[in-house]
């Protein structure tokens, strides 16, 4: 079945350390891919999106993600974590052009330690 | 409005009661989506509107759930005879075009938190 998988429901890093949040998808064709962030008591907002133009995508707040077709992955990274990055991050994909909605992963809660 | 507006932001109800959740999308956005976010879970798709029609309602969990959209704008999600397992945050999102071959970015509201006692 087509799906989006986020490895690790909780990730904890120290301030200034590398952030790596993992996302893998299962699809017969490369989908469009998105990362969303949800701060406490807020709605989701778009961090970045991959739409086949370039495999390395840069987003807001210093985040970037690389699409790797061979690994069916779209991992999110940030070189240096900031306290304000603490939030929940969701990977999403348009897995099936017949299904008019994005499929979301289960989310990864990022904790940043001082 | 500037963003997607949802009301109420919080709703506490008793088991068996009906509830209505409202979503006011960004002006001009033709696509509207309802998702459900349960504690510790990801986002569960419920229904998608393109204009006033719902080409995909495959995510509605039971016939107690229904939704409508009028005037290509405001949408109402109705849950009849609420159950405790309906407790969740219901998120609405809109997009200038539907997902599919060229999916548009989704703009989310802050959600309606439903608690069924």
């Amino acid at each position: 079945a087509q799906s989006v998988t986020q490895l690790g429901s909780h990730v904890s890093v120290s301030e200034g350390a590398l952030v790596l949040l993992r996302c893998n998808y299962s699809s017969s064709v490369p989908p469009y891919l998105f990362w969303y962030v949800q701060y406490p008591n807020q709605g989701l907002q778009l961090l970045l999106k991959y739409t086949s133009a370039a495999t390395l995508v840069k987003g807001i707040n210093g985040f970037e993600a690389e699409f790797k077709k061979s690994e069916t992955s779209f991992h999110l990274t940030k070189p240096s974590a900031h306290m304000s990055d603490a939030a929940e991050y969701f990977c999403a994909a348009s897995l099936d052009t017949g299904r008019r909605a994005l499929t979301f992963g289960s989310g990864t809660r990022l904790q940043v330690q001082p | 409005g500037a963003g997607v507006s949802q009301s109420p932001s919080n709703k506490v109800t008793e088991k068996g009661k009906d509830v209505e959740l409202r979503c006011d999308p960004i002006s001009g956005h033709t696509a509207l989506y309802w998702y459900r976010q349960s504690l510790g879970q990801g986002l569960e798709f419920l229904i998608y509107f393109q204009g006033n029609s719902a080409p995909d309602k495959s995510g509605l969990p039971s016939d107690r759930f229904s939704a409508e959209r009028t005037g290509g704008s405001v949408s109402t999600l109705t849950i009849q005879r609420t159950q405790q397992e309906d407790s969740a945050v219901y998120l609405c999102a809109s997009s200038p075009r539907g997902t599919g071959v060229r999916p548009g970015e989704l703009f989310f509201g802050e959600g309606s938190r439903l608690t069924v006692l």
Side-chain angles (χ1 to χ4, degrees):
Chain A
Q2 297 183 339
S3 63
V4 176
T5 302
Q6 291 184 241
L7 295 176
S9 58
H10 289 82
V11 170
S12 182
V13 301
S14 298
E15 191 173 18
L18 171 72
V19 175
L20 171 61
L21 304 181
R22 300 177 186 274
C23 174
N24 288 86
Y25 66 90
S26 170
S27 176
S28 55
V29 296
Y32 290 103
L33 294 158
F34 305 79
W35 276 99
Y36 284 83
V37 60
Q38 185 179 33
Y39 298 104
N41 299 315
Q42 294 186 25
L44 281 73
Q45 58 181 278
L46 183 69
L47 264 182
L48 49 81
K49 61 182 178 182
Y50 165 75
T51 56
S52 77
T55 57
L56 182 62
V57 181
K58 294 186 184 298
I60 61 173
N61 301 336
F63 283 93
E64 63 181 36
E66 185 173 11
F67 171 69
K68 292 187 177 180
K69 183 179 177 180
S70 61
E71 299 178 6
T72 61
S73 70
F74 190 58
H75 301 331
L76 181 71
T77 60
K78 182 174 180 178
S80 177
H82 191 274
M83 297 295 290
S84 61
D85 294 327
E88 187 146 23
Y89 292 79
F90 292 92
C91 182
S94 60
L95 293 177
D96 182 348
T97 57
R99 179 126 196 235
R100 303 283 184 171
L102 296 184
T103 299
F104 284 80
S106 56
T108 298
R109 184 166 297 279
L110 176 66
Q111 190 175 22
V112 181
Q113 306 283 0
Chain B
V4 177
S5 178
Q6 291 188 247
S7 62
S9 55
N10 276 286
K11 176 71 175 180
V12 180
T13 190
E14 293 180 348
K15 177 181 173 181
K17 300 284 189 183
D18 297 352
V19 297
E20 286 190 350
L21 307 176
R22 175 189 167 105
C23 173
D24 200 343
I26 293 173
S27 178
H29 281 193
T30 57
L32 186 146
Y33 308 79
W34 284 98
Y35 285 85
R36 178 167 71 174
Q37 184 178 23
S38 303
L39 189 63
Q41 305 288 320
L43 272 71
E44 176 188 6
F45 166 75
L46 298 178
I47 187 169
Y48 155 71
F49 287 92
Q50 182 62 38
N52 290 336
S53 64
D56 188 351
K57 55 180 78 171
S58 61
L60 294 177
S62 76
D63 59 7
R64 295 186 296 105
F65 287 72
S66 63
E68 65 174 12
R69 188 179 185 194
T70 56
S73 180
V74 172
S75 176
T76 302
L77 176 69
T78 301
I79 309 173
Q80 295 178 310
R81 305 180 303 281
T82 52
Q83 303 293 312
Q84 288 183 330
E85 61 262 29
D86 299 334
S87 296
V89 177
Y90 289 82
L91 293 169
C92 176
S94 68
S95 172
R97 58 178 181 268
T99 58
V101 176
R102 299 184 63 82
E105 173 186 348
L106 299 188
F107 295 81
F108 283 85
E110 294 189 355
S112 291
R113 182 177 298 278
L114 174 65
T115 303
V116 182
L117 302 178

